[in-house]
Amino acid sequence: VLSSELKEGSVVRPWLGVVLQPMTVELAESLGLDLPRGILVASVQKNSPAEKAGVREGDVILSMNGNEIESDRELQY
């Protein structure tokens, strides 16, 4: 945080622009997944980085940079 503040003059926080929903067994079954893994994109904010990248409501994010995603917190850091 300190290096960001010194470099940018303020704290720069990443923003994806999505509302995420944890994956449950029931939700995974309804989506046709064999196991409850990843996270569900519940909504995408207009003009957000996610929308510009083509992320859509109903997408399931399974990995990022080759690492499996098990909770929304993993996308926050």
Side-chain angles (χ1 to χ4, degrees):
V1 172
L2 181 58
S3 64
S4 175
E5 189 168 355
L6 290 173
K7 183 178 178 183
E8 304 292 331
S10 63
V11 176
V12 178
R13 299 195 189 280
W15 174 61
L16 188 57
V18 293
V19 174
L20 302 171
Q21 182 175 342
M23 188 63 65
T24 63
V25 172
E26 295 80 15
L27 189 54
E29 287 175 358
S30 73
L31 294 170
L33 297 173
D34 54 339
L35 298 170
R37 56 194 175 112
I39 51 175
L40 176 69
V41 177
S43 66
V44 179
Q45 297 176 358
K46 285 198 166 282
N47 299 316
S48 67
E51 182 184 58
K52 291 174 184 173
V55 177
R56 297 179 306 209
E57 183 177 312
D59 284 351
V60 177
I61 301 173
L62 298 173
S63 66
M64 181 178 70
N65 296 328
N67 298 312
E68 288 188 20
I69 299 293
E70 295 182 19
S71 76
D72 59 343
R73 294 188 59 81
E74 293 177 65
L75 288 178
Q76 296 173 358
Y77 300 103

Short mmCIF file of all heavy atoms in Angstrom, two decimals:
data_model
loop_
_atom_site.label_atom_id
_atom_site.label_comp_id
_atom_site.label_asym_id
_atom_site.label_seq_id
_atom_site.Cartn_x
_atom_site.Cartn_y
_atom_site.Cartn_z
N VAL A 1 0.83 -1.19 0.00
CA VAL A 1 0.00 0.00 0.00
C VAL A 1 0.88 1.25 0.00
O VAL A 1 0.63 2.18 -0.75
CB VAL A 1 -0.96 0.00 1.20
CG1 VAL A 1 -1.69 1.32 1.31
CG2 VAL A 1 -1.94 -1.15 1.10
N LEU A 2 1.92 1.24 0.79
CA LEU A 2 2.78 2.41 0.88
C LEU A 2 3.45 2.71 -0.45
O LEU A 2 3.47 3.85 -0.89
CB LEU A 2 3.84 2.22 1.98
CG LEU A 2 4.78 3.40 2.19
CD1 LEU A 2 4.01 4.67 2.54
CD2 LEU A 2 5.77 3.07 3.29
N SER A 3 3.96 1.69 -1.13
CA SER A 3 4.62 1.93 -2.41
C SER A 3 3.62 2.46 -3.45
O SER A 3 3.96 3.31 -4.26
CB SER A 3 5.31 0.67 -2.92
OG SER A 3 4.36 -0.33 -3.19
N SER A 4 2.38 1.98 -3.41
CA SER A 4 1.35 2.48 -4.31
C SER A 4 1.04 3.94 -4.03
O SER A 4 0.92 4.75 -4.94
CB SER A 4 0.08 1.65 -4.17
OG SER A 4 -0.96 2.18 -4.96
N GLU A 5 0.96 4.28 -2.76
CA GLU A 5 0.66 5.66 -2.39
C GLU A 5 1.80 6.59 -2.78
O GLU A 5 1.58 7.68 -3.28
CB GLU A 5 0.37 5.76 -0.89
CG GLU A 5 -0.14 7.12 -0.50
CD GLU A 5 -0.70 7.16 0.90
OE1 GLU A 5 -0.79 6.11 1.56
OE2 GLU A 5 -1.05 8.26 1.35
N LEU A 6 3.02 6.16 -2.59
CA LEU A 6 4.16 6.98 -2.96
C LEU A 6 4.24 7.16 -4.48
O LEU A 6 4.52 8.25 -4.97
CB LEU A 6 5.46 6.36 -2.44
CG LEU A 6 5.66 6.40 -0.93
CD1 LEU A 6 6.89 5.60 -0.54
CD2 LEU A 6 5.76 7.83 -0.43
N LYS A 7 3.97 6.10 -5.22
CA LYS A 7 4.06 6.14 -6.68
C LYS A 7 2.89 6.89 -7.31
O LYS A 7 3.07 7.71 -8.21
CB LYS A 7 4.14 4.72 -7.23
CG LYS A 7 4.32 4.64 -8.72
CD LYS A 7 4.44 3.20 -9.17
CE LYS A 7 4.56 3.12 -10.67
NZ LYS A 7 4.60 1.74 -11.12
N GLU A 8 1.68 6.60 -6.88
CA GLU A 8 0.47 7.14 -7.50
C GLU A 8 -0.08 8.38 -6.79
O GLU A 8 -0.94 9.05 -7.32
CB GLU A 8 -0.63 6.07 -7.54
CG GLU A 8 -0.24 4.79 -8.23
CD GLU A 8 -0.04 4.95 -9.72
OE1 GLU A 8 -0.70 5.83 -10.32
OE2 GLU A 8 0.78 4.22 -10.29
N GLY A 9 0.37 8.62 -5.56
CA GLY A 9 -0.19 9.72 -4.79
C GLY A 9 -1.44 9.32 -4.02
O GLY A 9 -2.00 10.11 -3.29
N SER A 10 -1.88 8.10 -4.21
CA SER A 10 -3.04 7.56 -3.50
C SER A 10 -2.98 6.04 -3.58
O SER A 10 -2.18 5.49 -4.31
CB SER A 10 -4.35 8.07 -4.11
OG SER A 10 -4.46 7.61 -5.44
N VAL A 11 -3.85 5.40 -2.84
CA VAL A 11 -3.91 3.94 -2.88
C VAL A 11 -4.76 3.54 -4.08
O VAL A 11 -5.90 3.97 -4.23
CB VAL A 11 -4.50 3.38 -1.58
CG1 VAL A 11 -4.65 1.86 -1.67
CG2 VAL A 11 -3.65 3.76 -0.40
N VAL A 12 -4.19 2.74 -4.96
CA VAL A 12 -4.90 2.25 -6.14
C VAL A 12 -5.38 0.84 -5.85
O VAL A 12 -4.58 -0.05 -5.60
CB VAL A 12 -3.97 2.27 -7.38
CG1 VAL A 12 -4.70 1.71 -8.59
CG2 VAL A 12 -3.44 3.66 -7.63
N ARG A 13 -6.69 0.66 -5.88
CA ARG A 13 -7.27 -0.65 -5.61
C ARG A 13 -7.83 -1.23 -6.91
O ARG A 13 -8.48 -0.52 -7.67
CB ARG A 13 -8.38 -0.55 -4.57
CG ARG A 13 -7.88 -0.01 -3.25
CD ARG A 13 -8.90 -0.26 -2.15
NE ARG A 13 -8.55 0.41 -0.93
CZ ARG A 13 -7.67 0.00 -0.05
NH1 ARG A 13 -7.00 -1.11 -0.27
NH2 ARG A 13 -7.44 0.68 1.06
N PRO A 14 -7.58 -2.50 -7.16
CA PRO A 14 -8.12 -3.10 -8.38
C PRO A 14 -9.64 -3.21 -8.29
O PRO A 14 -10.21 -3.36 -7.22
CB PRO A 14 -7.48 -4.49 -8.41
CG PRO A 14 -7.04 -4.75 -7.03
CD PRO A 14 -6.79 -3.43 -6.38
N TRP A 15 -10.29 -3.12 -9.44
CA TRP A 15 -11.73 -3.20 -9.52
C TRP A 15 -12.10 -4.04 -10.72
O TRP A 15 -11.72 -3.73 -11.85
CB TRP A 15 -12.33 -1.80 -9.63
CG TRP A 15 -13.81 -1.78 -9.86
CD1 TRP A 15 -14.77 -2.28 -9.03
CD2 TRP A 15 -14.49 -1.23 -10.98
NE1 TRP A 15 -16.01 -2.08 -9.57
CE2 TRP A 15 -15.86 -1.42 -10.78
CE3 TRP A 15 -14.07 -0.60 -12.13
CZ2 TRP A 15 -16.82 -1.01 -11.68
CZ3 TRP A 15 -15.03 -0.18 -13.04
CH2 TRP A 15 -16.39 -0.38 -12.80
N LEU A 16 -12.81 -5.12 -10.50
CA LEU A 16 -13.23 -5.99 -11.59
C LEU A 16 -14.63 -5.64 -12.06
O LEU A 16 -14.93 -5.67 -13.24
CB LEU A 16 -13.16 -7.45 -11.13
CG LEU A 16 -13.38 -8.53 -12.17
CD1 LEU A 16 -12.40 -8.39 -13.32
CD2 LEU A 16 -13.25 -9.90 -11.54
N GLY A 17 -15.52 -5.29 -11.13
CA GLY A 17 -16.87 -4.90 -11.50
C GLY A 17 -17.85 -6.05 -11.59
O GLY A 17 -18.72 -6.05 -12.46
N VAL A 18 -17.72 -7.00 -10.69
CA VAL A 18 -18.64 -8.14 -10.68
C VAL A 18 -19.15 -8.37 -9.26
O VAL A 18 -18.52 -7.99 -8.29
CB VAL A 18 -17.97 -9.45 -11.17
CG1 VAL A 18 -17.62 -9.37 -12.62
CG2 VAL A 18 -16.77 -9.80 -10.34
N VAL A 19 -20.31 -9.00 -9.19
CA VAL A 19 -20.82 -9.52 -7.92
C VAL A 19 -20.69 -11.03 -8.04
O VAL A 19 -21.14 -11.63 -9.02
CB VAL A 19 -22.30 -9.12 -7.69
CG1 VAL A 19 -22.84 -9.80 -6.44
CG2 VAL A 19 -22.41 -7.61 -7.59
N LEU A 20 -20.04 -11.63 -7.06
CA LEU A 20 -19.74 -13.06 -7.11
C LEU A 20 -20.56 -13.82 -6.09
O LEU A 20 -20.91 -13.30 -5.03
CB LEU A 20 -18.25 -13.28 -6.86
CG LEU A 20 -17.32 -12.56 -7.82
CD1 LEU A 20 -15.88 -12.66 -7.34
CD2 LEU A 20 -17.46 -13.12 -9.22
N GLN A 21 -20.86 -15.07 -6.40
CA GLN A 21 -21.63 -15.94 -5.53
C GLN A 21 -20.84 -17.22 -5.29
O GLN A 21 -20.36 -17.83 -6.25
CB GLN A 21 -22.97 -16.26 -6.18
CG GLN A 21 -23.87 -17.12 -5.34
CD GLN A 21 -25.23 -17.31 -6.00
OE1 GLN A 21 -25.62 -16.56 -6.89
NE2 GLN A 21 -25.94 -18.33 -5.56
N PRO A 22 -20.68 -17.61 -4.03
CA PRO A 22 -19.96 -18.86 -3.75
C PRO A 22 -20.67 -20.06 -4.39
O PRO A 22 -21.89 -20.09 -4.50
CB PRO A 22 -20.00 -18.98 -2.23
CG PRO A 22 -20.39 -17.64 -1.72
CD PRO A 22 -21.16 -16.97 -2.82
N MET A 23 -19.89 -21.02 -4.81
CA MET A 23 -20.43 -22.23 -5.42
C MET A 23 -20.85 -23.21 -4.33
O MET A 23 -20.08 -23.49 -3.42
CB MET A 23 -19.38 -22.87 -6.32
CG MET A 23 -19.88 -24.02 -7.14
SD MET A 23 -21.18 -23.59 -8.32
CE MET A 23 -20.29 -22.50 -9.43
N THR A 24 -22.06 -23.69 -4.42
CA THR A 24 -22.57 -24.70 -3.49
C THR A 24 -22.76 -26.00 -4.26
O THR A 24 -22.75 -26.02 -5.49
CB THR A 24 -23.92 -24.28 -2.88
OG1 THR A 24 -24.88 -24.18 -3.95
CG2 THR A 24 -23.81 -22.94 -2.15
N VAL A 25 -22.98 -27.07 -3.55
CA VAL A 25 -23.24 -28.37 -4.18
C VAL A 25 -24.49 -28.27 -5.07
O VAL A 25 -24.48 -28.71 -6.22
CB VAL A 25 -23.41 -29.48 -3.12
CG1 VAL A 25 -23.87 -30.78 -3.75
CG2 VAL A 25 -22.12 -29.67 -2.35
N GLU A 26 -25.55 -27.67 -4.53
CA GLU A 26 -26.80 -27.56 -5.29
C GLU A 26 -26.62 -26.70 -6.54
O GLU A 26 -27.12 -27.05 -7.61
CB GLU A 26 -27.90 -26.96 -4.40
CG GLU A 26 -28.30 -27.80 -3.21
CD GLU A 26 -27.33 -27.68 -2.03
OE1 GLU A 26 -26.51 -26.74 -1.98
OE2 GLU A 26 -27.40 -28.55 -1.14
N LEU A 27 -25.91 -25.61 -6.40
CA LEU A 27 -25.67 -24.72 -7.54
C LEU A 27 -24.82 -25.42 -8.60
O LEU A 27 -25.11 -25.34 -9.79
CB LEU A 27 -24.99 -23.44 -7.06
CG LEU A 27 -24.85 -22.30 -8.04
CD1 LEU A 27 -26.18 -21.92 -8.66
CD2 LEU A 27 -24.25 -21.09 -7.35
N ALA A 28 -23.79 -26.12 -8.16
CA ALA A 28 -22.94 -26.86 -9.10
C ALA A 28 -23.75 -27.90 -9.88
O ALA A 28 -23.61 -28.01 -11.10
CB ALA A 28 -21.79 -27.53 -8.35
N GLU A 29 -24.60 -28.62 -9.18
CA GLU A 29 -25.45 -29.62 -9.84
C GLU A 29 -26.36 -28.96 -10.87
O GLU A 29 -26.53 -29.47 -11.98
CB GLU A 29 -26.27 -30.39 -8.82
CG GLU A 29 -25.45 -31.37 -8.00
CD GLU A 29 -26.26 -32.05 -6.90
OE1 GLU A 29 -27.46 -31.74 -6.73
OE2 GLU A 29 -25.67 -32.88 -6.19
N SER A 30 -26.95 -27.82 -10.52
CA SER A 30 -27.87 -27.15 -11.44
C SER A 30 -27.15 -26.61 -12.67
O SER A 30 -27.76 -26.43 -13.73
CB SER A 30 -28.62 -26.02 -10.73
OG SER A 30 -27.77 -24.91 -10.50
N LEU A 31 -25.84 -26.35 -12.55
CA LEU A 31 -25.05 -25.85 -13.67
C LEU A 31 -24.36 -26.97 -14.44
O LEU A 31 -23.64 -26.73 -15.41
CB LEU A 31 -24.00 -24.85 -13.16
CG LEU A 31 -24.55 -23.57 -12.57
CD1 LEU A 31 -23.45 -22.78 -11.88
CD2 LEU A 31 -25.21 -22.73 -13.66
N GLY A 32 -24.54 -28.21 -13.98
CA GLY A 32 -23.95 -29.36 -14.67
C GLY A 32 -22.49 -29.60 -14.34
O GLY A 32 -21.79 -30.30 -15.07
N LEU A 33 -22.02 -29.05 -13.23
CA LEU A 33 -20.64 -29.28 -12.80
C LEU A 33 -20.57 -30.55 -11.97
O LEU A 33 -21.48 -30.83 -11.18
CB LEU A 33 -20.11 -28.10 -11.97
CG LEU A 33 -20.03 -26.75 -12.69
CD1 LEU A 33 -19.65 -25.65 -11.70
CD2 LEU A 33 -19.02 -26.81 -13.81
N ASP A 34 -19.50 -31.30 -12.13
CA ASP A 34 -19.36 -32.55 -11.37
C ASP A 34 -19.04 -32.30 -9.90
O ASP A 34 -19.40 -33.09 -9.05
CB ASP A 34 -18.30 -33.45 -12.01
CG ASP A 34 -16.96 -32.76 -12.18
OD1 ASP A 34 -16.91 -31.52 -12.20
OD2 ASP A 34 -15.95 -33.47 -12.34
N LEU A 35 -18.36 -31.21 -9.62
CA LEU A 35 -17.99 -30.85 -8.25
C LEU A 35 -18.27 -29.37 -8.01
O LEU A 35 -18.22 -28.57 -8.94
CB LEU A 35 -16.49 -31.09 -8.01
CG LEU A 35 -15.98 -32.51 -8.13
CD1 LEU A 35 -14.45 -32.51 -8.11
CD2 LEU A 35 -16.53 -33.36 -7.01
N PRO A 36 -18.54 -28.98 -6.76
CA PRO A 36 -18.71 -27.56 -6.47
C PRO A 36 -17.34 -26.87 -6.44
O PRO A 36 -16.60 -26.96 -5.46
CB PRO A 36 -19.37 -27.55 -5.09
CG PRO A 36 -19.00 -28.83 -4.47
CD PRO A 36 -18.82 -29.81 -5.60
N ARG A 37 -16.96 -26.25 -7.55
CA ARG A 37 -15.68 -25.57 -7.62
C ARG A 37 -15.86 -24.26 -8.37
O ARG A 37 -16.81 -24.09 -9.12
CB ARG A 37 -14.63 -26.44 -8.30
CG ARG A 37 -15.01 -26.90 -9.65
CD ARG A 37 -14.10 -28.02 -10.15
NE ARG A 37 -14.60 -28.50 -11.41
CZ ARG A 37 -13.98 -28.33 -12.57
NH1 ARG A 37 -12.83 -27.72 -12.62
NH2 ARG A 37 -14.51 -28.80 -13.66
N GLY A 38 -14.95 -23.35 -8.14
CA GLY A 38 -15.03 -22.04 -8.77
C GLY A 38 -16.05 -21.15 -8.09
O GLY A 38 -16.57 -21.46 -7.02
N ILE A 39 -16.32 -20.01 -8.74
CA ILE A 39 -17.31 -19.07 -8.23
C ILE A 39 -18.19 -18.60 -9.38
O ILE A 39 -17.77 -18.56 -10.52
CB ILE A 39 -16.64 -17.86 -7.54
CG1 ILE A 39 -15.60 -17.23 -8.44
CG2 ILE A 39 -16.06 -18.23 -6.21
CD1 ILE A 39 -14.99 -15.98 -7.89
N LEU A 40 -19.42 -18.29 -9.05
CA LEU A 40 -20.41 -17.88 -10.04
C LEU A 40 -20.45 -16.36 -10.14
O LEU A 40 -20.47 -15.66 -9.12
CB LEU A 40 -21.79 -18.40 -9.65
CG LEU A 40 -22.95 -17.99 -10.54
CD1 LEU A 40 -22.84 -18.66 -11.91
CD2 LEU A 40 -24.27 -18.34 -9.88
N VAL A 41 -20.48 -15.84 -11.36
CA VAL A 41 -20.66 -14.40 -11.58
C VAL A 41 -22.16 -14.14 -11.52
O VAL A 41 -22.91 -14.55 -12.42
CB VAL A 41 -20.06 -13.97 -12.93
CG1 VAL A 41 -20.33 -12.48 -13.16
CG2 VAL A 41 -18.57 -14.26 -12.99
N ALA A 42 -22.60 -13.48 -10.45
CA ALA A 42 -24.02 -13.21 -10.27
C ALA A 42 -24.47 -12.01 -11.09
O ALA A 42 -25.58 -11.98 -11.61
CB ALA A 42 -24.33 -12.98 -8.79
N SER A 43 -23.59 -11.00 -11.22
CA SER A 43 -23.89 -9.86 -12.07
C SER A 43 -22.60 -9.15 -12.47
O SER A 43 -21.57 -9.31 -11.80
CB SER A 43 -24.85 -8.88 -11.36
OG SER A 43 -24.22 -8.30 -10.26
N VAL A 44 -22.70 -8.39 -13.55
CA VAL A 44 -21.56 -7.63 -14.08
C VAL A 44 -21.99 -6.18 -14.19
O VAL A 44 -23.03 -5.88 -14.78
CB VAL A 44 -21.12 -8.16 -15.46
CG1 VAL A 44 -19.96 -7.37 -16.01
CG2 VAL A 44 -20.77 -9.64 -15.39
N GLN A 45 -21.20 -5.29 -13.64
CA GLN A 45 -21.52 -3.86 -13.70
C GLN A 45 -21.22 -3.29 -15.08
O GLN A 45 -20.25 -3.68 -15.72
CB GLN A 45 -20.73 -3.10 -12.64
CG GLN A 45 -21.09 -3.52 -11.23
CD GLN A 45 -20.23 -2.84 -10.19
OE1 GLN A 45 -19.34 -2.07 -10.49
NE2 GLN A 45 -20.51 -3.14 -8.93
N LYS A 46 -22.09 -2.38 -15.53
CA LYS A 46 -21.91 -1.75 -16.83
C LYS A 46 -20.60 -0.97 -16.87
O LYS A 46 -20.21 -0.34 -15.89
CB LYS A 46 -23.06 -0.80 -17.14
CG LYS A 46 -24.33 -1.51 -17.53
CD LYS A 46 -25.26 -0.52 -18.22
CE LYS A 46 -26.36 -1.23 -18.92
NZ LYS A 46 -25.97 -1.83 -20.17
N ASN A 47 -19.95 -1.03 -18.02
CA ASN A 47 -18.71 -0.30 -18.28
C ASN A 47 -17.57 -0.69 -17.34
O ASN A 47 -16.63 0.09 -17.15
CB ASN A 47 -18.93 1.21 -18.24
CG ASN A 47 -19.91 1.65 -19.29
OD1 ASN A 47 -19.84 1.22 -20.43
ND2 ASN A 47 -20.86 2.49 -18.92
N SER A 48 -17.65 -1.85 -16.74
CA SER A 48 -16.60 -2.32 -15.82
C SER A 48 -15.52 -3.05 -16.62
O SER A 48 -15.74 -3.46 -17.76
CB SER A 48 -17.20 -3.27 -14.78
OG SER A 48 -17.63 -4.47 -15.40
N PRO A 49 -14.35 -3.24 -16.03
CA PRO A 49 -13.33 -4.04 -16.69
C PRO A 49 -13.83 -5.45 -17.04
O PRO A 49 -13.49 -5.98 -18.10
CB PRO A 49 -12.19 -4.08 -15.66
CG PRO A 49 -12.36 -2.83 -14.86
CD PRO A 49 -13.86 -2.64 -14.78
N ALA A 50 -14.66 -6.02 -16.17
CA ALA A 50 -15.19 -7.36 -16.45
C ALA A 50 -16.07 -7.35 -17.69
O ALA A 50 -15.96 -8.23 -18.55
CB ALA A 50 -15.98 -7.87 -15.24
N GLU A 51 -16.95 -6.37 -17.80
CA GLU A 51 -17.82 -6.29 -18.97
C GLU A 51 -17.00 -6.09 -20.24
O GLU A 51 -17.24 -6.75 -21.26
CB GLU A 51 -18.82 -5.14 -18.83
CG GLU A 51 -19.77 -5.05 -20.02
CD GLU A 51 -20.69 -3.86 -19.95
OE1 GLU A 51 -20.20 -2.71 -19.89
OE2 GLU A 51 -21.91 -4.10 -19.97
N LYS A 52 -16.01 -5.23 -20.18
CA LYS A 52 -15.15 -4.98 -21.33
C LYS A 52 -14.36 -6.22 -21.74
O LYS A 52 -14.02 -6.40 -22.90
CB LYS A 52 -14.22 -3.81 -21.05
CG LYS A 52 -14.97 -2.50 -20.96
CD LYS A 52 -14.08 -1.36 -20.52
CE LYS A 52 -14.92 -0.09 -20.37
NZ LYS A 52 -14.15 1.01 -19.79
N ALA A 53 -14.07 -7.10 -20.76
CA ALA A 53 -13.34 -8.34 -21.05
C ALA A 53 -14.26 -9.46 -21.51
O ALA A 53 -13.79 -10.54 -21.87
CB ALA A 53 -12.57 -8.77 -19.80
N GLY A 54 -15.57 -9.23 -21.49
CA GLY A 54 -16.50 -10.24 -21.97
C GLY A 54 -17.06 -11.15 -20.89
O GLY A 54 -17.71 -12.14 -21.20
N VAL A 55 -16.83 -10.83 -19.62
CA VAL A 55 -17.41 -11.62 -18.52
C VAL A 55 -18.91 -11.36 -18.50
O VAL A 55 -19.36 -10.22 -18.64
CB VAL A 55 -16.77 -11.25 -17.16
CG1 VAL A 55 -17.42 -12.01 -16.03
CG2 VAL A 55 -15.27 -11.51 -17.20
N ARG A 56 -19.69 -12.44 -18.35
CA ARG A 56 -21.14 -12.31 -18.36
C ARG A 56 -21.75 -12.94 -17.11
O ARG A 56 -21.18 -13.86 -16.52
CB ARG A 56 -21.72 -12.99 -19.59
CG ARG A 56 -21.27 -12.36 -20.89
CD ARG A 56 -21.85 -13.08 -22.06
NE ARG A 56 -21.52 -14.50 -21.94
CZ ARG A 56 -21.38 -15.32 -22.95
NH1 ARG A 56 -21.55 -14.90 -24.16
NH2 ARG A 56 -21.08 -16.58 -22.76
N GLU A 57 -22.93 -12.46 -16.78
CA GLU A 57 -23.70 -13.05 -15.68
C GLU A 57 -23.91 -14.52 -15.98
O GLU A 57 -24.23 -14.90 -17.11
CB GLU A 57 -25.05 -12.34 -15.58
CG GLU A 57 -25.90 -12.82 -14.43
CD GLU A 57 -27.18 -12.02 -14.33
OE1 GLU A 57 -27.13 -10.78 -14.38
OE2 GLU A 57 -28.24 -12.66 -14.21
N GLY A 58 -23.68 -15.37 -14.98
CA GLY A 58 -23.83 -16.82 -15.16
C GLY A 58 -22.53 -17.53 -15.46
O GLY A 58 -22.48 -18.75 -15.42
N ASP A 59 -21.47 -16.77 -15.78
CA ASP A 59 -20.16 -17.40 -15.98
C ASP A 59 -19.68 -18.01 -14.67
O ASP A 59 -20.00 -17.51 -13.58
CB ASP A 59 -19.13 -16.38 -16.45
CG ASP A 59 -19.26 -15.99 -17.91
OD1 ASP A 59 -20.05 -16.63 -18.63
OD2 ASP A 59 -18.58 -15.03 -18.32
N VAL A 60 -18.92 -19.07 -14.77
CA VAL A 60 -18.28 -19.68 -13.61
C VAL A 60 -16.77 -19.52 -13.80
O VAL A 60 -16.22 -19.96 -14.80
CB VAL A 60 -18.64 -21.17 -13.46
CG1 VAL A 60 -17.89 -21.80 -12.29
CG2 VAL A 60 -20.14 -21.34 -13.27
N ILE A 61 -16.13 -18.85 -12.84
CA ILE A 61 -14.69 -18.66 -12.90
C ILE A 61 -14.04 -19.82 -12.16
O ILE A 61 -14.25 -19.99 -10.96
CB ILE A 61 -14.29 -17.31 -12.29
CG1 ILE A 61 -14.99 -16.17 -13.03
CG2 ILE A 61 -12.76 -17.13 -12.32
CD1 ILE A 61 -14.80 -14.80 -12.41
N LEU A 62 -13.29 -20.62 -12.90
CA LEU A 62 -12.66 -21.81 -12.32
C LEU A 62 -11.19 -21.58 -11.97
O LEU A 62 -10.68 -22.21 -11.05
CB LEU A 62 -12.77 -22.99 -13.30
CG LEU A 62 -14.19 -23.43 -13.65
CD1 LEU A 62 -14.15 -24.48 -14.74
CD2 LEU A 62 -14.89 -23.94 -12.41
N SER A 63 -10.52 -20.70 -12.71
CA SER A 63 -9.11 -20.45 -12.44
C SER A 63 -8.71 -19.06 -12.90
O SER A 63 -9.40 -18.44 -13.71
CB SER A 63 -8.23 -21.50 -13.11
OG SER A 63 -8.32 -21.38 -14.52
N MET A 64 -7.59 -18.60 -12.39
CA MET A 64 -7.02 -17.33 -12.78
C MET A 64 -5.50 -17.49 -12.79
O MET A 64 -4.93 -17.97 -11.81
CB MET A 64 -7.42 -16.22 -11.80
CG MET A 64 -6.86 -14.85 -12.19
SD MET A 64 -7.38 -13.55 -11.08
CE MET A 64 -6.46 -13.96 -9.61
N ASN A 65 -4.88 -17.15 -13.91
CA ASN A 65 -3.43 -17.29 -14.06
C ASN A 65 -2.96 -18.71 -13.75
O ASN A 65 -1.90 -18.91 -13.16
CB ASN A 65 -2.69 -16.29 -13.17
CG ASN A 65 -2.96 -14.86 -13.57
OD1 ASN A 65 -3.16 -14.56 -14.74
ND2 ASN A 65 -2.96 -13.97 -12.60
N GLY A 66 -3.78 -19.69 -14.13
CA GLY A 66 -3.41 -21.09 -13.93
C GLY A 66 -3.66 -21.63 -12.54
O GLY A 66 -3.37 -22.80 -12.27
N ASN A 67 -4.20 -20.80 -11.65
CA ASN A 67 -4.48 -21.24 -10.28
C ASN A 67 -5.99 -21.42 -10.10
O ASN A 67 -6.77 -20.53 -10.45
CB ASN A 67 -3.97 -20.22 -9.27
CG ASN A 67 -2.48 -20.04 -9.36
OD1 ASN A 67 -1.73 -21.02 -9.38
ND2 ASN A 67 -2.03 -18.81 -9.42
N GLU A 68 -6.38 -22.57 -9.55
CA GLU A 68 -7.79 -22.82 -9.30
C GLU A 68 -8.36 -21.80 -8.32
O GLU A 68 -7.69 -21.42 -7.36
CB GLU A 68 -8.01 -24.23 -8.76
CG GLU A 68 -7.80 -25.30 -9.81
CD GLU A 68 -8.19 -26.67 -9.33
OE1 GLU A 68 -8.95 -26.80 -8.36
OE2 GLU A 68 -7.71 -27.64 -9.94
N ILE A 69 -9.59 -21.38 -8.58
CA ILE A 69 -10.29 -20.43 -7.71
C ILE A 69 -11.30 -21.19 -6.88
O ILE A 69 -12.13 -21.92 -7.42
CB ILE A 69 -11.01 -19.35 -8.55
CG1 ILE A 69 -10.02 -18.55 -9.38
CG2 ILE A 69 -11.87 -18.46 -7.67
CD1 ILE A 69 -9.09 -17.68 -8.57
N GLU A 70 -11.23 -21.02 -5.58
CA GLU A 70 -12.16 -21.70 -4.69
C GLU A 70 -13.06 -20.73 -3.94
O GLU A 70 -14.08 -21.13 -3.40
CB GLU A 70 -11.39 -22.57 -3.69
CG GLU A 70 -10.65 -23.71 -4.39
CD GLU A 70 -9.93 -24.61 -3.41
OE1 GLU A 70 -10.27 -24.59 -2.22
OE2 GLU A 70 -9.03 -25.32 -3.84
N SER A 71 -12.70 -19.45 -3.91
CA SER A 71 -13.54 -18.47 -3.24
C SER A 71 -13.35 -17.10 -3.88
O SER A 71 -12.35 -16.85 -4.56
CB SER A 71 -13.20 -18.38 -1.74
OG SER A 71 -11.99 -17.66 -1.55
N ASP A 72 -14.32 -16.22 -3.66
CA ASP A 72 -14.22 -14.88 -4.23
C ASP A 72 -13.04 -14.10 -3.67
O ASP A 72 -12.50 -13.22 -4.33
CB ASP A 72 -15.53 -14.11 -4.02
CG ASP A 72 -15.91 -13.95 -2.56
OD1 ASP A 72 -15.40 -14.67 -1.70
OD2 ASP A 72 -16.75 -13.07 -2.30
N ARG A 73 -12.60 -14.43 -2.48
CA ARG A 73 -11.47 -13.73 -1.87
C ARG A 73 -10.19 -13.90 -2.69
O ARG A 73 -9.33 -13.04 -2.69
CB ARG A 73 -11.25 -14.20 -0.43
CG ARG A 73 -12.40 -13.82 0.49
CD ARG A 73 -12.13 -14.11 1.94
NE ARG A 73 -10.97 -13.43 2.47
CZ ARG A 73 -10.95 -12.16 2.89
NH1 ARG A 73 -12.03 -11.43 2.81
NH2 ARG A 73 -9.85 -11.65 3.39
N GLU A 74 -10.09 -15.00 -3.40
CA GLU A 74 -8.90 -15.25 -4.21
C GLU A 74 -8.81 -14.28 -5.40
O GLU A 74 -7.73 -14.08 -5.93
CB GLU A 74 -8.87 -16.69 -4.69
CG GLU A 74 -8.69 -17.67 -3.54
CD GLU A 74 -8.74 -19.10 -4.00
OE1 GLU A 74 -7.84 -19.50 -4.76
OE2 GLU A 74 -9.69 -19.79 -3.62
N LEU A 75 -9.91 -13.72 -5.82
CA LEU A 75 -9.90 -12.74 -6.90
C LEU A 75 -9.62 -11.33 -6.38
O LEU A 75 -9.36 -10.42 -7.15
CB LEU A 75 -11.21 -12.74 -7.66
CG LEU A 75 -11.48 -13.92 -8.55
CD1 LEU A 75 -12.85 -13.81 -9.19
CD2 LEU A 75 -10.41 -14.04 -9.62
N GLN A 76 -9.69 -11.16 -5.09
CA GLN A 76 -9.50 -9.83 -4.50
C GLN A 76 -8.05 -9.51 -4.24
O GLN A 76 -7.71 -8.38 -3.96
CB GLN A 76 -10.30 -9.71 -3.19
CG GLN A 76 -11.78 -9.80 -3.40
CD GLN A 76 -12.54 -9.84 -2.09
OE1 GLN A 76 -11.97 -9.83 -1.02
NE2 GLN A 76 -13.86 -9.88 -2.18
N TYR A 77 -7.17 -10.50 -4.32
CA TYR A 77 -5.77 -10.26 -3.99
C TYR A 77 -4.86 -10.62 -5.13
O TYR A 77 -5.08 -11.36 -5.95
CB TYR A 77 -5.38 -11.04 -2.74
CG TYR A 77 -6.21 -10.65 -1.56
CD1 TYR A 77 -7.24 -11.46 -1.11
CD2 TYR A 77 -5.98 -9.44 -0.93
CE1 TYR A 77 -8.02 -11.07 -0.04
CE2 TYR A 77 -6.78 -9.05 0.15
CZ TYR A 77 -7.78 -9.88 0.59
OH TYR A 77 -8.56 -9.50 1.64
#
